[in-house]
Amino acid sequence: MKVEAKLDSGIYALNRFMLTIQNKRMPIRNLDAKMRDGDTTVAFTFDCPPENARRYTILLDGLEDVREIGPVE
């Protein structure tokens, strides 16, 4: 399941997001982070069954730095 997250601007928001992924040992592959004009976008693929991916997405959506997160079609 491919997911895209839009974060608050700044390196600290990206660091907190990445640390959460690492600390929760989320099965992520193909991660791509972009910072342009104050916008931070992280696109990645969960390497797990879709139901688990949805649960991880809900967990990440609860982070204070995440403005928007959802699957990419």
Side-chain angles (χ1 to χ4, degrees):
M1 176 177 175
K2 188 166 180 150
V3 176
E4 184 173 275
K6 295 185 189 294
L7 309 177
D8 289 341
S9 62
I11 192 70
Y12 293 117
L14 179 60
N15 283 343
R16 283 189 290 268
F17 186 81
M18 297 302 289
L19 283 172
T20 300
I21 287 173
Q22 181 181 13
N23 290 338
K24 301 295 182 186
R25 296 185 175 151
M26 294 183 183
I28 301 278
R29 62 183 167 96
N30 300 332
L31 188 134
D32 183 33
K34 295 179 182 172
M35 297 175 79
R36 290 190 186 141
D37 300 326
D39 289 331
T40 304
T41 304
V42 181
F44 53 90
T45 303
F46 281 111
D47 192 16
C48 60
E51 182 60 33
N52 293 354
R54 282 190 285 279
R55 289 180 184 152
Y56 285 128
T57 302
I58 290 168
L59 177 71
L60 292 172
D61 190 32
L63 297 176
E64 66 180 84
D65 299 314
V66 176
R67 289 188 292 165
E68 184 181 334
I69 189 168
V72 177
E73 298 165 9

